[in-house]
Amino acid sequence: MMSEKRTMLCVPVTARAEDQAFADIQSAKRANAGMIELRLDYLERSDAHMVCRLVEQARQAGGQTIATCRIAEEGGQWHGEETQRIALLVAAGEAGADYIDVEYHAWKRSAQLRQAIGRVCRVDTGAERPRCRLILSKHNFTETPANLDAIFAELRNEPAHVVKLACKANRITDALRMLDALRESARTGPAIGLSMGEAGVITRVLAGKVGGLLTFAALDTGKESAPGQPAIKQMRSLYRWDALRPDTRVYGVIGCPVAHSMSPAIMNAAFDAIGYDGVYLPLRVEPDYADFAAFIDGCLARPWLGLSGCSVTIPHKQNLLRYVAERAGHIEPLAARIGAANTLAIEPAPDDQGAAGFSPRGAPRDENATHHGKTARAEARGSLAAHNTDYRGAMDALCAGMERGPEGLRGLSAAVLGAGGASRAIVAGLIDAGCRVTIYNRTLAKAEQLAAEFGASALPWEARSAIQANVVVQCTSIGMWPNADETPLPTFDLPPTTVVFETIYNPMETRLLQQARDHNCRTVDGVAMFVGQAAAQFQRWTGQPAPTDLIRSIMLERLQH
């Protein structure tokens, strides 16, 4: 259970025609939706009789039913007469809908609406649980206002059984504020609070941590009723909705952009495979350091959230090092030398045991939760550590491909193509393992600078045609999709004793790997490196060995689609 009362998965039915709506209701039933929202505003033609049939069908599907006919000014599809809209909502209530959703602004300005819906929902009788209950909702599709608590309180002042607020999250800290406001409002009565857009995913998956009545999940991709709405299959399978609990630990991948990341599918499946109580989310954080720091500070100031670790990707790898250094956390020495980190580990403070759970109604509010700029108090929430598993993944992949341990790399010669971020991690790992490294790069000065930092050598890019090395590591973007016909070694003249290591994983089979196999060279692909770094992160967070075969199979499956 995510809270005292289980937060429900509500599937909106957005069909244009009655027969398709019937089919979607049955699909929602098969998906085990706890609630169905009938979006009457999407229907191209509708009348009271059709609405009654849809409500009856939804009731037979089990669960509960919301009837909504959203006006266009609040993101809906209704452009007809208000009297007709009221009639449809009344018909839904009289047919047995459990809830009627009405926009707050429409409720305030229309006495006719208040009288008709109020009668159906018995808002003036004081009944604690009428047959049909009123949801009053507000939507903001441009921003998340500063006064979310006040807006919830304004809604709560009306005779509504449930209050709902949905706002566009322009930054992930907007989503944290929405979780704060929902957590506070849910202490008073049933509430729904969601952030729309890519940055708002955490409010949808973690709604149960703060006591939300429901969270919306689309029937399928393309059938969303609001931006950023995951499909119910994603909620159940990808984000393990049914396994989430109040003290479930939260992890995620921080990047910008991040929606394309395969990491949520990989990490959540790995958690599930070993029975680990964790959930892994995409966390879009805007590129500036201030945005990165504000998000982590905000999470640390909310121990009930349970953030325990993050993968950190472009453009935040340097931001992670800076953040942990400024807060006197632990930085892995090799990560410091590389100048970038991709793994954040957070250990809760001793007095925060159980803090990730949902606070019971009436518990004192954590005032620091809404003041996430107070970093001194945030630091006290737990210890921080920054690591770089990119080099670890590369070294593990290389050793596995060569069928030898790390000690077997000592004394080998290695040629590294490229001098960018991936090269830094791999050069550091190779030097640390005792290899003699030569760096080849289009800009020789950049290769020389990297070589000087780590005690390697540097040669011009043109000299790569005469490479003589035990290991060749390709760290450029040459050959990456969609330019899969390119290769960094147009004239391939390496002996069969050479090991060729490709860091690109899309495509899985680059032209360079094809050339190497044609010359009977041993090869290591980029998938192996990705699996290795993900496995290292997983083990650091959970303390258990990662299911590497599962991680690789999921990654390959994703790459093939």
Side-chain angles (χ1 to χ4, degrees):
M1 297 282 288
M2 286 286 283
S3 65
E4 293 173 351
K5 295 183 68 175
R6 177 75 185 184
T7 299
M8 290 178 282
L9 281 178
C10 180
V11 171
V13 172
T14 58
R16 297 289 180 181
E18 181 180 9
D19 56 349
Q20 185 59 55
F22 282 155
D24 286 352
I25 289 169
Q26 292 305 310
S27 295
K29 177 182 178 181
R30 288 191 294 272
N32 199 25
M35 185 178 286
I36 294 173
E37 182 187 36
L38 298 174
R39 286 296 300 265
L40 306 178
D41 52 308
Y42 275 79
L43 292 167
E44 293 177 346
R45 288 186 297 274
S46 58
D47 56 34
H49 295 295
M50 179 191 294
V51 169
C52 290
R53 291 193 295 270
L54 290 174
V55 170
E56 180 60 27
Q57 186 80 1
R59 291 183 65 193
Q60 291 177 4
Q64 300 185 49
T65 304
I66 301 176
T68 302
C69 194
R70 183 77 68 227
I71 55 178
E73 65 189 83
E74 295 226 14
Q77 305 293 313
W78 183 261
H79 299 275
E81 296 292 332
E82 181 68 356
T83 53
Q84 184 184 359
R85 185 173 86 102
I86 294 171
L88 294 178
L89 291 172
V90 168
E94 291 179 342
D98 297 281
Y99 297 90
I100 293 176
D101 184 326
V102 175
E103 307 81 12
Y104 172 73
H105 292 305
W107 174 267
K108 292 292 287 185
R109 70 174 175 239
S110 172
Q112 181 186 6
L113 177 65
R114 291 195 301 273
Q115 181 179 11
I117 302 302
R119 176 181 57 81
V120 175
C121 295
R122 300 169 63 191
V123 297
D124 296 324
T125 65
E128 290 188 6
R129 190 174 180 83
R131 181 174 57 82
C132 185
R133 283 153 281 176
L134 171 63
I135 300 173
L136 273 187
S137 58
K138 289 189 76 169
H139 303 80
N140 188 320
F141 289 89
T142 59
E143 64 175 354
T144 301
N147 60 333
L148 295 179
D149 285 342
I151 295 173
F152 268 117
E154 182 182 13
L155 292 170
R156 192 72 74 186
N157 283 335
E158 298 297 321
H161 304 102
V162 182
V163 295
K164 174 189 172 186
L165 180 58
C167 300
K168 169 70 180 302
N170 292 314
R171 279 174 163 70
I172 198 166
T173 47
D174 292 338
L176 293 180
R177 293 193 296 111
M178 178 61 77
L179 288 172
D180 279 338
L182 175 59
R183 183 172 183 247
E184 183 69 9
S185 186
R187 289 183 170 126
T188 306
I192 304 164
L194 297 167
S195 294
M196 295 179 284
E198 183 182 353
V201 171
I202 61 173
T203 67
R204 297 181 180 278
V205 179
L206 303 181
K209 269 188 177 282
V210 290
L213 175 68
L214 61 83
T215 188
F216 290 95
L219 184 59
D220 205 348
T221 302
K223 294 189 175 183
E224 302 87 354
S225 62
Q229 197 175 85
I232 189 168
K233 183 178 180 180
Q234 288 179 303
M235 291 291 277
R236 284 224 149 87
S237 178
L238 175 59
Y239 297 123
R240 307 174 62 234
W241 172 263
D242 296 306
L244 302 187
R245 305 186 312 171
D247 55 354
T248 294
R249 292 193 170 198
V250 175
Y251 301 85
V253 52
I254 295 176
C256 186
V258 77
H260 66 286
S261 175
M262 293 183 288
S263 295
I266 289 169
M267 289 297 186
N268 284 318
F271 287 159
D272 191 58
I274 68 166
Y276 184 77
D277 189 15
V279 62
Y280 186 102
L281 306 172
L283 304 170
R284 180 189 173 98
V285 176
E286 299 307 306
D288 291 345
Y289 174 73
D291 288 287
F292 182 89
F295 172 64
I296 303 298
D297 280 347
C299 291
L300 294 177
R302 296 163 171 83
W304 45 263
L305 189 63
L307 185 71
S308 300
C310 290
S311 309
V312 179
T313 186
I314 295 172
H316 290 296
K317 292 186 177 184
Q318 287 75 34
N319 288 341
L320 173 57
L321 274 189
R322 176 181 170 185
Y323 181 86
V324 174
E326 288 180 354
R327 283 147 184 81
H330 169 73
I331 297 176
E332 178 187 20
L334 198 54
R337 284 197 68 196
I338 293 168
N342 72 331
T343 306
L344 171 64
I346 302 171
E347 289 297 330
D351 60 352
D352 277 340
Q353 293 180 3
F358 176 67
S359 296
R361 298 185 190 276
R365 187 177 187 186
D366 179 2
E367 294 300 327
N368 194 45
T370 56
H371 301 288
H372 43 73
K374 297 182 179 179
T375 57
R377 290 185 66 183
E379 289 169 8
R381 294 297 185 188
S383 61
L384 305 174
H387 303 270
N388 189 309
T389 66
D390 286 333
Y391 84 87
R392 165 82 179 276
M395 294 303 100
D396 286 351
L398 182 58
C399 289
M402 298 179 69
E403 298 181 342
R404 63 177 70 185
E407 66 283 351
L409 300 180
R410 184 165 300 278
L412 295 183
S413 60
V416 175
L417 306 180
S423 301
R424 289 186 64 84
I426 289 175
V427 167
L430 290 169
I431 294 291
D432 191 60
C435 294
R436 293 176 285 109
V437 178
T438 303
I439 303 167
Y440 300 79
N441 193 57
R442 285 193 179 99
T443 305
L444 179 59
K446 191 173 181 181
E448 290 174 336
Q449 180 180 354
L450 179 59
E453 286 186 51
F454 290 96
S457 302
L459 287 174
W461 183 246
E462 295 75 18
R464 73 194 187 283
S465 59
I467 286 176
Q468 294 294 321
N470 302 116
V471 178
V472 175
V473 187
Q474 137 70 351
C475 296
T476 75
S477 61
I478 300 173
M480 183 181 293
W481 186 90
N483 302 311
D485 59 340
E486 297 180 355
T487 175
L489 296 178
T491 303
F492 194 98
D493 194 27
L494 298 175
T497 54
T498 307
V499 177
V500 177
F501 183 3
E502 170 69 88
T503 62
I504 291 171
Y505 58 78
N506 188 13
M508 293 178 285
E509 179 79 0
T510 63
R511 185 180 168 196
L512 177 64
L513 290 179
Q514 292 170 358
Q515 291 174 299
R517 289 182 182 126
D518 288 345
H519 285 74
N520 296 316
C521 294
R522 181 171 290 191
T523 61
V524 180
D525 60 35
V527 173
M529 177 177 169
F530 184 96
V531 171
Q533 64 84 25
Q537 288 181 332
F538 183 91
Q539 185 166 0
R540 184 162 297 282
W541 292 330
T542 66
Q544 301 183 47
T548 52
D549 289 345
L550 174 65
I551 292 174
R552 184 177 180 90
S553 68
I554 292 173
M555 185 177 180
L556 293 177
E557 179 184 350
R558 292 271 167 158
L559 288 173
Q560 290 167 357
H561 285 80

